[in-house]
Every structure is written in C-alpha cells, then in structure tokens.
C-alpha cells in the first residue's frame, strides 16, 4: 500500500511490495531503557530506529498512543504494544465498572451461579460520583476498614485507609475543585540492570492525564493470607494478542512481593504499613526472619522488595495445604484472568496492529480465595535483582516470540516458550483435541509450574523448520 495523502498522517512499516515472510530485518523503536531495550537490541534480525525513522515494531508508552495513534498509518505487519483504549481494563474505576456490568450480563444470560464467578473484586465505589451510594453502604457495615485509591496512579501513591466517615468527608472537601494533570512526577531510582542501562520510570503505569483526580473507595481485605506474618501480593503476566476473537496467553513465571513489616489491623494510623502495596516501599530488612523459618523457599532481597518466584510460592502452599487446594486456587486465578478480559472484550478497540502485556496484581486471603487488585497496562520491566532480570528478559523474549514479527509460527501453537495459550475464542484444552466429557477438560494453564522454555523453543522451532522443508 502507498503512503496516505493526508499530510497529518504518518506511515510506518510500509513493505514496498515485499511479503512479510521475505523481510530480512525488523525495525523497532522504544523509549524504555530497561530490560526491554536489552532484549530488542539482542534479537537476531532486529535493528533500532530513532527519531522519525520508519518502524515495524514499536513498544510505545501510553502517552504516545493517545497523541499519535489516530494519525499514524500502519502497514499490515506492523505491531504496537497497547490497545487504543487499554484503560477500560487498566484504570481502576473503569475496570470495576466493566466487571459490574459483565456480572449483570452473566446473571441475565446464564444465572446467578455463573455471575458469581465474577465475585473476585472487593465492593468498590467511584468517588466522588458514587459518594452517596458509598455512604449508604458504609452505614450498613460500621467499623470495617476501607481503602481509598487514585484511579490512575501506581506504587501506592495517594492511597489511604479509613474507618470513620469523617475521614472521607474531609477528603471530599479537600479535593473539591482540584485539578490533577500529571499522575507521575516521582523521582527516578537506580535499579539493577546488567547491561548498565537505567529506567527512570520504575512504576508500573506510565503518564496519564485526566482533568480531575478521581478515586475509588474499596472495602479493605482484612484477612490476607500471611507468610511469616507478612502480607504479599502476586504479579502475574497475561498477553493478549486479540480481543475479537479473544486470544490470551498466560505466562508460567511471576512472583510474590512481600511487605517488610508484620501485618496488623490494630491501628490504621501507620498508612505506610497497611495502605501501600507491599512492593511499593524500600525493604532492607524484610528477608531474614521470614526466610529463617522457610529456608527451602529462598527469597530475593532487593532494594525494591522481597520476592518469591511463583514456583516457590506454589510449592510452599502445596506443602501447607495440599496439592488439591493449590489446584483450586490457581484455577480460580485463571477464572479472574478470563472473566476480566471478557468484561472488556466488547469495549476494547481490537485493532489488528495491537497487542498488550498485562501485569495482574492478585491478593490471596486466608481462605485461599484470590482477589483482583488491579491490572497494569505497563508492568514494570526494570529489574531489581539478577533473578528478576532473568525473569523479565525471558518474559519479553517469549512475548516477541508470540507476537511473531518473523512470521515463524503456524497459529496453531498452544505453547510458545513460557507462554501457554489460555483462551482462543473459548477455553483451550491441555490435551490435544477437546474431550467429549466436560469433566475431563483440563485448561491449558501452568502458572507457577516448571518453565523449561529454552527446551520447548528449541523443539518448537526445529519442528517448524522441518515442516517448511517438507512443504517445500
């Protein structure tokens, strides 16, 4: 296709008549100087373009997307790293709005039992527009703890807890008429990166501009599952290639992020201990006591936090509660990923050029029930330790393998490296074919299981090469 005549539109990835399979190189662009840049620069056949150079692949930030997407022409093979209105899932108030709507839809179409599968997020109200609804609910349940979160900030910024209506009334008066432009503004921090590059954007979410800083008031989960007396949440990665049809991959690796202090609700004055996510503060002394009792499950001690890889976390839970309880927990997490994506399937603009790597934050309570805290459109790709660096570089390599700019895949794969195809316009079976009996169906997810990605990739690409030889 030729360049558009409209001078306000920019053209990228123009193939000049060459088929996608015949391109000798892939031109990439990104502004993120972290593990992502390391992976892109070391990928065979990929070359970096800067400034206004023409590109085939752009790992962009959301501000570029908002300002340029509608004015950019992209050829068939071009890919960018966000869907146009990604915020329908990744902004806290929109996520809850869509989940509530989807739950009502399921109740109408499939009944209350199916709708109950969406009960994985705490009771939530958007503030200030649902203030009166919140007050009504607050008075029904006096004495419980609530948490206030800015809808588009990250890393615990702006969060506070309260149990008295006076606190929320003071907040409402203090925010009336205030404007909020830049949701970032945090200082940069030096983080681990073997290549020597640094990322000044260490948080999960990137710059967003909204006219008023809205909040959500959410019922606080007062009975979190604790390990060594510490609270934690899970970071899980989901890759969506398409929304229509919905095609989603689940990564096997992830991590649990621990607080540096013992959890208590005896006082909510210590906002840092209770309100901020456990990974959002500096943890310098968090590992020793926790690890002393569970030395089999070594934690990573870093300037950004204490982490267990999901494999260690899964092993720990199995030793405490048995394999069946763990299978149920992880199956319920699978349900969260699928239902949350389905809740926005009809509102996300499913452009064929877009893909998205989401970072899901999950909290587990004492009953081993998983709760969805939030979904990040820009999960942090900055490494805080050697183990973290290895996880994120492998994650990004496999993301590029699934996106498949090189056109090596057939489209029938159910596993690519560390990614397992979780949903392909319907649930994907772990076994070949679809079992006749629903009870025999096992979902193709392996979260927290062994990730022998290098071996799998060697076998996959060797098989693909053999198929090409036979066909030629």
């Amino acid at each position: 296709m030729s360049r558009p005549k409209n001078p306000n539109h920019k053209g990228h990835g123009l193939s000049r008549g060459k088929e996608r399979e015949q391109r000798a190189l892939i031109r990439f662009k990104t502004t993120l100087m972290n593990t992502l840049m390391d992976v892109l620069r070391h990928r065979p056949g990929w070359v970096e373009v800067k400034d206004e150079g023409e590109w085939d692949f752009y790992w962009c930030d959301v501000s570029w997307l908002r300002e340029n997407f509608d004015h950019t022409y992209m050829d068939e093979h071009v890919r960018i790293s966000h869907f146009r209105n990604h915020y329908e899932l990744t902004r806290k108030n929109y996520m809850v709005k869509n989940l509530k709507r989807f739950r009502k839809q399921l109740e109408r179409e499939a009944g209350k039992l199916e709708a109950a599968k969406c009960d994985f997020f705490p009771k939530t109200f958007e503030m200030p527009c649902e203030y009166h609804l919140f007050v009504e609910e607050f008075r029904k349940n006096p004495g419980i703890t609530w948490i206030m979160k800015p809808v588009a900030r990250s890393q615990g910024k702006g969060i506070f807890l309260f149990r008295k209506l006076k606190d929320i009334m003071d907040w409402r008066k203090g925010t009336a008429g205030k404007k909020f432009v830049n949701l970032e503004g945090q200082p940069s921090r030096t983080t681990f990166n073997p290549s020597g590059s640094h990322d000044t954007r260490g948080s999960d979410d990137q710059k967003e501009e909204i006219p008023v800083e809205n909040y959500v008031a959410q019922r606080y989960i007062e009975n979190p599952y604790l390990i060594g007396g510490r609270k934690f949440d899970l970071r899980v990665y989901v890759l969506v290639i398409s929304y229509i049809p919905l095609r989603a991959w689940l990564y096997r690796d992830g991590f649990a992020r621990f607080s540096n202090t013992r959890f208590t609700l005896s006082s909510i004055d210590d906002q840092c201990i209770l309100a901020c996510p456990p990974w959002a503060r500096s943890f310098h002394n968090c590992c020793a006591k926790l690890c002393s009792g569970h030395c089999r499950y070594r934690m990573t001690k870093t300037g950004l936090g204490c982490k267990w890889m999901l494999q260690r976390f899964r092993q720990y839970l199995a030793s405490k509660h048995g394999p069946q309880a763990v299978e149920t927990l992880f199956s319920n997490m699978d349900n969260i990923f699928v239902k949350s994506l389905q809740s926005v399937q009809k509102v996300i603009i499913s452009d064929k050029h877009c893909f998205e790597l989401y970072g899901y934050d999950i909290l587990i309570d004492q009953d081993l029930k998983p709760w969805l805290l939030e979904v990040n459109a820009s999960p942090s790709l900055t490494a805080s330790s050697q183990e973290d660096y290895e996880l994120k570089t492998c994650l990004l390599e496999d993301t590029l393998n699934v996106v498949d700019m090189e056109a090596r895949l057939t489209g029938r794969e159910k596993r690519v490296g560390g990614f397992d195809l979780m949903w392909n316009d319907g649930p994907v079976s772990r076994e070949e074919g679809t079992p006749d009996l629903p009870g025999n169906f096992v979902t193709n997810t392996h979260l927290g299981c062994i990730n022998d990605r290098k071996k799998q990739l060697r076998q996959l690409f060797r098989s693909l090469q053999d198929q090409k030889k036979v066909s030629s």
Side-chain angles (χ1 to χ4, degrees), residues 229-453:
R230 269 71 172 180
K231 187 179 177 182
F232 63 90
D233 67 356
L234 306 180
R235 164 53 58 87
V236 182
Y237 298 99
V238 175
L239 174 62
V240 175
I241 298 300
S242 165
Y243 271 98
I244 302 177
L246 181 58
R247 187 173 174 85
W249 299 74
L250 178 65
Y251 202 61
R252 296 189 174 200
D253 289 336
F255 43 83
R257 305 174 288 194
F258 287 82
S259 170
N260 66 328
T261 55
R262 287 183 173 272
F263 175 80
T264 175
L265 273 176
S266 59
S267 171
I268 65 171
D269 294 330
D270 189 347
Q271 298 293 328
C272 184
I273 293 175
L274 293 176
C276 297
W279 46 269
R281 303 177 300 278
S282 179
F283 313 136
H284 297 291
N285 303 304
C286 62
C287 297
K289 193 165 185 179
L290 181 56
C291 291
S292 62
H294 312 291
C295 59
R296 259 184 79 195
Y297 309 98
R298 180 176 62 85
M299 300 183 70
T300 300
K301 181 178 179 181
T302 73
L304 291 180
C306 294
K307 298 178 181 179
W308 276 4
M309 298 294 286
L310 276 184
Q311 287 86 347
R312 295 178 186 134
F313 173 71
R314 186 166 185 151
Q315 290 169 6
Y316 173 82
L317 288 185
S319 70
K320 290 288 185 180
H321 305 281
Q324 186 55 53
V326 174
E327 285 293 334
T328 300
L329 167 62
F330 277 72
S331 175
N332 289 337
M333 284 197 282
D334 293 343
N335 173 70
I336 289 178
F337 308 138
V338 171
K339 289 290 190 293
S340 60
L341 294 174
Q342 288 178 325
S343 74
V344 297
Q345 186 178 7
K346 294 183 179 179
V347 295
I348 292 284
I349 302 170
S350 187
D351 191 288
K352 63 185 178 182
H353 299 101
C354 303
F355 69 93
E356 193 110 37
L357 179 65
Y358 294 109
Y360 275 73
D361 292 342
I362 306 290
L363 181 74
I364 312 297
D365 70 17
Q366 292 175 357
D367 300 319
L368 294 185
K369 174 183 172 65
W371 296 88
L372 175 61
L373 299 181
E374 63 179 302
V375 184
N376 293 283
S378 306
S380 174
L381 300 176
T382 302
S384 55
S385 68
Q386 179 64 40
E387 193 172 32
D388 200 33
Y389 182 83
E390 291 172 0
L391 183 154
K392 288 174 178 174
T393 52
C394 292
L395 167 72
L396 289 168
E397 287 172 4
D398 290 342
T399 297
L400 299 180
N401 288 333
V402 173
V403 173
D404 192 28
M405 292 297 296
E406 296 90 347
R408 294 178 291 183
L409 304 181
T410 65
R412 298 185 296 273
E413 292 80 8
K414 294 200 296 187
R415 183 184 177 191
V416 177
F419 276 110
D420 297 293
L421 184 60
M422 173 174 56
W423 194 268
N424 188 20
D425 204 21
V428 179
S429 172
R430 190 173 297 185
E431 303 298 328
E432 290 300 326
T434 303
D436 294 330
L437 298 176
N440 293 339
F441 189 95
V442 180
T443 306
N444 185 45
T445 55
H446 303 266
L447 183 62
C449 296
I450 294 175
N451 186 7
D452 54 340
R453 56 177 296 276

Side-chain angles (χ1 to χ4, degrees), residues 197-247:
S197 62
H198 301 292
D199 185 14
T200 59
R201 202 161 32 234
S203 66
D204 277 8
D205 290 316
Q206 299 167 17
K207 291 181 181 179
E208 290 280 1
E209 290 185 4
I210 54 177
V212 178
E213 187 177 17
N214 292 334
Y215 274 65
V216 291
Q218 193 170 73
R219 185 164 180 168
Y220 189 69
I221 298 172
E222 297 182 340
N223 65 331
Y225 190 95
L226 305 178
I227 297 179
R230 269 71 172 180
K231 187 179 177 182
F232 63 90
D233 67 356
L234 306 180
R235 164 53 58 87
V236 182
Y237 298 99
V238 175
L239 174 62
V240 175
I241 298 300
S242 165
Y243 271 98
I244 302 177
L246 181 58
R247 187 173 174 85

